[in-house]
Amino acid sequence: MSTIPFTPDLSVKPEVTAFFDAPTNTISYIVKDPNSTSCAVIDSVMDIDYAAGRISYEGADEIIAFIEKHNLKLEWLIETHVHADHLSAAPYIQGKLGGKLGIGENITIVQDTFGKIFNEGTEFQRDGSQFDRLFTDGDSYQIGGLTTHVMHTPGHTPACMTHVVGNAAFVGDTLFMPDGGSARADFPGGDARTLYRSIQRVLALPRETRLFMCHDYGPNGRDIQWETSVGDEIDHNIHVGKGTDEDTFVKMREERDATLAMPKLIIPSLQVNMRAGQLPPKDESGKSFLKVPLNGL
């Protein structure tokens, strides 16, 4: 099987609108078919004041307002992976605008792993049934007349997928901007060697392919950025550029990961995102609760 399980078509140019969430340094996207009103939303964010135990939807409402203002038809809500640093707003947006919710098929591995960590009962389904579509490597789906191809790019998490539509690819946390390097690989189910090989799949796309990041942290004080290209990553990425070999990357990644603190929102994010953005079930009092597994992560 070839590294890329499809033939990229750079003549297809989707319209991409980015939405930056400053509290989590997350970039969400609306991807529109230029020849119709069809669109998809990738990696939406639900706001949370963790200390107060309060959720809200300011960022999601901004996305909804854009779609409604431009009379777009939402066909897909895509999660590139189960995020550990922000909560998904996909079901909230889906409730307002419709569309199907999709993620990689290895969500079942993530659900099994974190279902145990958070001591979820048997009522928590670990088969991915909370989502409308589970993608496998090489799958495709339509956004109007646009064909979107899906590549399995694990390493950060087992369920990470890169979505390629025409000359654009949405890489989730697999890669950062060239001066940001790569994602950590030390979460349960992550693996630095697997991540390196997944990055090589992304970098096998044509050099002109536009790459859209899920996060940016403005290294060294620069302005926030979220779009680069395969060519720029190959030439300039501080972790994998200029032909960095696998063993060198793995040594760097594992040493670096050992110094990193857990993301501030990992505990609420995983509990919500493994449920496709739904809050845990309410108890008999009508309230929903999050768990804190002591020494579990």
Side-chain angles (χ1 to χ4, degrees):
M1 187 181 83
S2 65
T3 300
I4 304 172
F6 55 89
T7 302
D9 185 354
L10 298 185
S11 69
V12 176
K13 300 176 180 179
E15 298 176 8
V16 180
T17 304
F19 299 80
F20 179 65
D21 180 69
T24 63
N25 289 83
T26 302
I27 303 96
S28 305
Y29 298 98
I30 294 176
V31 183
K32 179 186 174 296
D33 174 11
N35 298 312
S36 75
T37 60
S38 297
C39 72
V41 169
I42 297 179
D43 290 335
S44 61
V45 177
M46 177 170 64
D47 303 290
I48 182 170
D49 180 341
Y50 192 26
R54 185 175 297 112
I55 60 170
S56 57
Y57 300 96
E58 289 88 348
D61 285 336
E62 186 179 351
I63 291 173
I64 291 169
F66 183 96
I67 291 173
E68 291 179 337
K69 177 181 178 181
H70 294 87
N71 296 311
L72 304 183
K73 179 186 178 185
L74 181 58
E75 297 191 343
W76 286 96
L77 297 115
I78 299 298
E79 301 292 342
T80 54
H81 62 292
V82 175
H83 310 277
D85 43 25
H86 72 269
L87 285 68
S88 171
Y92 174 78
I93 298 173
Q94 186 179 44
K96 301 285 187 180
L97 300 175
K100 295 180 180 180
L101 178 53
I103 198 169
E105 64 175 345
N106 281 355
I107 178 63
T108 57
I109 297 175
V110 176
Q111 288 175 329
D112 184 61
T113 298
F114 289 103
K116 294 174 182 175
I117 289 175
F118 289 106
N119 194 30
E120 300 292 347
T122 56
E123 69 278 2
F124 172 57
Q125 298 298 311
R126 295 162 169 82
D127 58 1
S129 57
Q130 301 88 342
F131 297 82
D132 300 309
R133 174 84 179 269
L134 302 182
F135 298 111
T136 62
D137 187 58
D139 271 355
S140 65
Y141 60 96
Q142 296 297 124
I143 306 171
L146 297 177
T147 299
T148 303
H149 299 278
V150 185
M151 290 197 304
H152 187 209
T153 48
H156 175 61
T157 81
C160 290
M161 309 292 278
T162 293
H163 294 253
V164 183
V165 50
N167 73 342
F170 299 85
V171 300
D173 285 3
T174 301
L175 273 171
F176 293 152
M177 295 294 292
D179 60 348
S182 61
R184 64 194 298 166
D186 61 331
F187 295 150
D191 179 78
R193 196 168 298 279
T194 300
L195 178 61
Y196 179 88
R197 295 172 184 176
S198 292
I199 290 171
Q200 299 312 305
R201 296 191 84 192
V202 174
L203 298 185
L205 293 165
R207 285 181 60 91
E208 301 82 6
T209 305
R210 296 186 292 162
L211 299 182
F212 292 91
M213 311 293 108
C214 184
H215 294 286
D216 187 65
Y217 300 93
N220 301 310
R222 69 152 169 78
D223 291 340
I224 298 297
Q225 299 174 9
W226 49 74
E227 180 180 349
T228 182
S229 69
V230 168
D232 283 342
E233 294 282 16
I234 290 172
D235 295 339
H236 303 296
N237 187 284
I238 61 172
H239 291 170
V240 294
K242 297 182 175 63
T244 299
D245 66 80
E246 184 173 315
D247 288 340
T248 299
F249 173 84
V250 170
K251 182 176 185 295
M252 176 281 302
R253 188 69 266 170
E254 291 180 346
E255 290 177 353
R256 181 177 174 84
D257 288 348
T259 70
L260 300 177
M262 283 288 129
K264 290 183 293 184
L265 295 179
I266 187 171
I267 287 175
S269 295
L270 291 174
Q271 289 177 81
V272 169
N273 294 337
M274 70 182 184
R275 292 180 164 88
Q278 299 285 353
L279 298 176
K282 295 179 181 178
D283 68 3
E284 61 275 5
S285 71
K287 296 179 180 179
S288 185
F289 293 86
L290 295 167
K291 300 176 181 177
V292 178
L294 299 179
N295 300 317
L297 294 172

